Amino acid sequence: MAQVRLEGVAKRFGPVSALADITETMADGELTVILGPSGCGKSTLLRVIAGLDEATAGRIFIGDRDVTDLPPAKRDIAMVFQSYALYPHMTVFDNMAFGLKLAGRSRAAVRAKVEEAAKLLRIDGLLDRKPRALSGGQRQRVAMGRALVREPQVFLFDEPLSNLDAALRVEMRFEIAALQKQLGATMVYVTHDQVEAMTLADRILVMRDGRVEQSGAPLDIYRRPVNRFVAGFLGTPGMNFIDGRIVDRGENGLGIALGDGGWIDLPLAAETRLAGEVIQVGGRPEDLMVEKERDDGKHGGVRLSAEVLLVERLGAETHLHLSVAGGRRIIARVGGETSLRQGETVRVSASVDVLHLFDVSGDRIAPVG
Amino acid sequence: MYLAPTLLVLAVVGGWPLARTIWFSLSDAYLGRAAEASFIGLDNYLLLAGDGEWWGAVWNTVVFAACSVTLETVLGIGIALVLNARFTGRGLVRAAVLVPWAIPLVVSAKMWAWMFNDLYGVINAGLAGLGLIDGPVAWLADPDLAMAAVVMTDVWKTTPFMAILVLAGLQMIPDDIYEAARVDGVHPVKVFFRITLPLVWPVLLVAVIFRTLDALRVFDLIYVMTSNSRDTASMSVFARQQMVNFGDLGYGSAASVLIVLIVGLVTVLWLMAGRVRLGAEGGR
Ligand SMILES: Nc1ncnc2c1ncn2[C@@H]1O[C@H](COP(=O)(O)OP(=O)(O)OP(=O)(O)O)[C@@H](O)[C@H]1O
Ligand SMILES: [Mg+2]
């Protein structure tokens, strides 16, 4: 196994810049997820690593080798495609054995390899079938088997589960994770599904418009997103944002005026140089507390009134759609047994240290809470 | 029930001429006196079996079909592979390739006949200009060259059809299969024989049948370029000559019926061969 290192990698398609100056390391034995919205360049990045697309600039290293100018077959990688890309006219066995046979391995060695991989993926009963006689999940396994028998340094996956139904997706996600642990393999995994990213990844790269916006452990990114984009991209329902302005009240410290009487106390540590700045406050749905309006003065530093627009009961939890100051809509996630009802006026609060502040350009304002 | 009108029309349009041809082939009918014909059994067929000119025509047809279809298929695959690659101006080239196919056959046959003309044809002029030949070559009069010229013209005319059919087949193969092969490190030549060819095989099979049947019935191309010359006359040219020039309706009809039988036989054999081949692919 080996790490993948990118140094200043860029890719242009004519006038379109698909990747811009990417410098990242995908650690040995880790599963790195490349996450981002459609068209942000995830597949392109993976294909550049694979050698299917040529980088316009920068170097790519796998282990200690500079593979920038090597063809895919010489990079010691294996790729699992979104559409599986199985050879339709070959049996499952031949799909997995094709590359090995052509590489001149002995028949017995090829058979042993394929059978071992098939057993691991539980497709050993399907070796004589053609791809079209397989279910989606089985095809997925064959595609993984074809990657497995190559015994590559690095596995590359491009949205491997996006063609499967929800239940199968969860199952295969589990299996990929288990496989990764079992093999101790280096894997790079592209997806736009943030649940997949959060559950699978040792490390996530969040991409936008051909750039890496943030990289790190899933929970670090979730808790400390570097900008509004990353903050909004991770989590369902997504983070809520409300416009505000930082106000200096002298001895009473700093606070954020949210409009319509909404207010957030900022801790004394907050820097006064921010006073007067227009900002956005972000709060995750699960971090918001919602109560019936009553004036007992306790509000954890946050004071905001809202009207309940919609109550979505999901059983284990309830999503409250609220209308707050200035008509902005936010979503709060509360327990399954809430007694709040549509049309009620409620008070939204939160502890200050779970809120996120972003400046006008969307960057995180460092010292909050 | 709903099929009845269709079947009726088919019977009148297709069945009636066929039935008449079969009847004529068993009679001594002559052009202009068809009504007085009398039944003579298989005499016409027996006569045909011993007729060197007929066998010459059969041979010509087989040579023509084998050569032209083989060349068209190989060239067609080559051109299709080129057209399937990404390059600028591909759309234009694709359209241009179809031009020979779009020209009416009689026109292109006549055009090539002129180009092959020994005295003022552009081909002799060109070859002489390049110093490749000393004097004019009688392309269409020389027995071997005439067949080559006819085959060439057919190849020129029909390769685009082949190329476009194969191209359609190629375009049904998803790109990512080729990418998987690149990751697997499969040599391009192997990719062609182990992936591309098996996957376009069904399309190719149909295209080759169509072309073979067409080639076995070839008439206008040969007739326009070399008239009734024995060196190139196909089965259809032979049948026409018997019926129209010699007025021997019975003999010509017998030849026509044999053409239908031969074409049918080739179709069945080809389909069976194709199935066996496909079955072998699947069995491994
Ligand atoms: N062959 C190509 N030619 C021109 N532009 C391309 C090509 N491939 C990708 N692009 C462009 O590069 C950008 C990134 O594409 P890419 O396929 O990497 O996105 P993605 O993040 O994988 O999206 P998705 O989630 O939809 O798969 C897009 O703007 C796309 O239009
Ligand atoms: Mg993609």
Side-chain angles (χ1 to χ4, degrees):
Chain A
M1 295 299 149
Q3 65 168 13
V4 178
R5 196 151 51 84
L6 307 174
E7 282 182 6
V9 168
K11 174 71 188 172
R12 305 186 69 86
F13 294 104
V16 181
S17 168
L19 296 176
D21 191 28
I22 293 189
T23 300
E24 287 291 337
T25 301
M26 293 141 194
D28 188 1
E30 278 192 1
L31 197 157
T32 305
V33 169
I34 302 173
L35 178 67
S38 187
C40 70
K42 307 181 294 291
S43 298
T44 306
L45 181 57
L46 200 71
R47 294 168 55 84
V48 165
I49 296 174
L52 291 171
D53 280 336
E54 223 174 295
T56 338
R59 313 296 308 171
I60 301 152
F61 298 86
I62 293 178
D64 306 324
R65 284 194 312 154
D66 182 342
V67 298
T68 318
D69 301 316
L70 294 180
K74 296 244 165 73
R75 294 192 177 195
D76 216 349
I77 49 111
M79 182 145 170
V80 176
F81 295 81
Q82 177 170 7
S83 55
Y84 316 137
L86 301 177
Y87 308 121
H89 56 301
M90 296 184 197
T91 61
V92 168
F93 181 90
D94 283 330
N95 262 283
M96 292 165 71
F98 191 46
L100 293 180
K101 278 185 190 164
L102 293 185
R105 305 280 199 88
S106 79
R107 269 174 167 278
V110 170
R111 177 154 285 279
K113 270 250 122 43
V114 170
E115 277 170 359
E116 185 193 333
K119 195 159 285 164
L120 191 64
L121 293 162
R122 290 184 283 120
I123 47 173
D124 38 345
L126 307 174
L127 289 176
D128 291 329
R129 295 221 201 146
K130 294 273 185 66
R132 68 168 167 277
L134 300 177
S135 71
Q138 290 167 335
R139 285 179 207 181
Q140 173 62 53
R141 283 170 214 266
V142 176
M144 284 180 26
R146 187 169 63 183
L148 223 53
V149 294
R150 288 177 54 77
E151 298 187 330
Q153 297 271 15
V154 179
F155 288 89
L156 306 174
F157 293 86
D158 192 354
E159 310 212 18
L161 306 185
S162 60
N163 287 342
L164 302 179
D165 65 48
L168 208 50
R169 207 145 59 209
V170 173
E171 186 187 327
M172 289 307 296
R173 196 168 77 203
F174 171 79
E175 290 198 13
I176 290 176
L179 199 66
Q180 197 265 336
K181 294 286 171 295
Q182 191 177 344
L183 301 173
T186 309
M187 293 187 176
V188 183
Y189 187 107
V190 164
T191 182
H192 61 249
D193 179 337
Q194 41 110 3
V195 177
E196 237 167 83
M198 292 299 291
T199 51
L200 275 177
D202 293 310
R203 208 155 143 275
I204 296 181
L205 307 186
V206 184
M207 286 186 67
R208 175 171 61 162
D209 293 343
R211 295 174 187 281
V212 175
E213 295 281 327
Q214 186 172 6
S215 64
L219 283 180
D220 286 346
I221 296 185
Y222 189 79
R223 293 200 183 114
R224 296 185 62 82
V226 295
N227 57 31
R228 235 207 88 160
F229 169 77
V230 176
F233 196 75
L234 282 179
T236 36
M239 189 185 280
N240 300 295
F241 298 100
I242 304 179
D243 298 324
R245 195 167 46 80
I246 298 189
V247 178
D248 189 351
R249 293 176 307 172
E251 281 165 28
N252 293 331
L254 288 181
I256 304 170
L258 297 175
D260 280 4
W263 181 263
I264 300 174
D265 287 331
L266 286 180
L268 288 172
E271 294 174 64
T272 49
R273 67 176 168 83
L274 294 171
E277 235 182 286
V278 177
I279 55 154
Q280 281 200 315
V281 182
R284 295 210 178 272
E286 67 270 25
D287 291 335
L288 303 183
M289 289 168 288
V290 183
E291 296 161 302
K292 284 212 174 68
E293 188 81 88
R294 70 195 135 90
D295 216 6
D296 56 5
K298 282 189 286 177
H299 49 67
V302 176
R303 199 170 66 230
L304 185 64
S305 65
E307 189 196 334
V308 179
L309 294 176
L310 183 66
V311 181
E312 283 182 330
R313 296 183 185 279
L314 305 182
E317 63 190 47
T318 304
H319 295 174
L320 297 173
H321 294 246
L322 308 169
S323 166
V324 296
R328 206 175 237 299
R329 295 179 63 164
I330 63 173
I331 296 178
R333 191 164 164 180
V334 298
E337 305 298 334
T338 181
S339 61
L340 292 171
R341 272 190 247 115
Q342 192 173 335
E344 267 181 311
T345 302
V346 294
R347 197 181 67 194
V348 181
S349 61
S351 105
V352 175
D353 52 0
V354 295
L355 295 180
H356 308 261
L357 299 192
F358 303 99
D359 64 19
V360 272
S361 58
D363 288 333
R364 182 185 191 86
I365 296 174
V368 183
Chain B
M1 246 315 113
Y2 298 110
L3 280 178
T6 318
L7 290 177
L8 198 70
V9 170
L10 265 182
V12 172
V13 175
W16 175 242
L18 188 65
R20 258 175 76 89
T21 307
I22 293 173
W23 155 242
F24 283 146
S25 75
L26 301 169
S27 75
D28 58 0
Y30 264 80
L31 206 59
R33 308 189 268 107
E36 306 154 29
S38 52
F39 182 75
I40 55 167
L42 292 174
D43 280 7
N44 282 325
Y45 291 94
L46 294 176
L47 217 56
L48 262 182
D51 185 340
E53 203 166 320
W54 161 251
W55 288 115
V58 171
W59 175 245
N60 285 342
T61 311
V62 169
V63 169
F64 171 81
C67 293
S68 63
V69 173
T70 306
L71 283 173
E72 283 156 22
T73 307
V74 172
L75 285 176
I77 292 174
I79 292 175
L81 286 174
V82 171
L83 290 183
N84 197 37
R86 287 200 185 83
F87 57 86
T88 43
R90 176 167 67 163
L92 212 64
V93 177
R94 278 186 189 173
V97 163
L98 270 180
V99 167
W101 176 249
I103 297 175
L105 190 128
V106 177
V107 175
S108 46
K110 209 66 209 165
M111 186 176 92
W112 279 90
W114 283 328
M115 284 165 56
F116 277 120
N117 187 291
D118 45 351
L119 294 180
Y120 31 82
V122 60
I123 292 178
N124 273 348
L127 289 176
L130 289 171
L132 292 173
I133 51 173
D134 301 330
V137 176
W139 291 101
L140 297 176
D142 183 290
D144 296 329
L145 291 181
M147 180 53 87
V150 169
V151 167
M152 236 226 72
T153 306
D154 193 63
V155 167
W156 175 82
K157 161 131 186 93
T158 317
T159 300
F161 169 79
M162 217 47 168
I164 294 299
L165 272 185
V166 175
L167 181 61
L170 288 179
Q171 286 179 330
M172 292 193 317
I173 306 176
D175 280 348
D176 53 15
I177 289 185
Y178 292 114
E179 295 185 336
R182 271 173 74 196
V183 173
D184 268 344
V186 187
H187 189 273
V189 174
K190 283 236 166 79
V191 169
F192 175 75
F193 284 107
R194 301 290 302 275
I195 296 175
T196 310
L197 208 52
L199 290 179
V200 290
W201 185 252
V203 174
L204 212 55
L205 200 68
V206 172
V208 170
I209 291 181
F210 268 99
R211 280 307 307 144
T212 309
L213 299 191
D214 254 6
L216 288 176
R217 293 177 322 204
V218 62
F219 169 75
D220 30 15
L221 176 69
I222 290 179
Y223 190 67
V224 170
M225 287 186 77
T226 61
S227 186
N228 286 324
S229 157
R230 285 182 65 164
D231 303 320
T232 50
S234 68
M235 298 188 293
S236 300
V237 171
F238 175 89
R240 191 213 73 98
Q241 192 183 25
Q242 295 302 327
M243 286 195 272
V244 180
N245 292 13
F246 308 151
D248 196 339
L249 211 51
Y251 200 49
S253 294
S256 304
V257 170
L258 277 187
I259 296 174
V260 172
L261 289 180
I262 291 174
V263 166
L265 189 71
V266 169
T267 312
V268 170
L269 285 180
W270 182 246
L271 282 177
M272 271 165 44
R275 184 157 317 145
V276 169
R277 177 72 194 278
L278 280 181
E281 282 286 329
R284 268 187 313 115

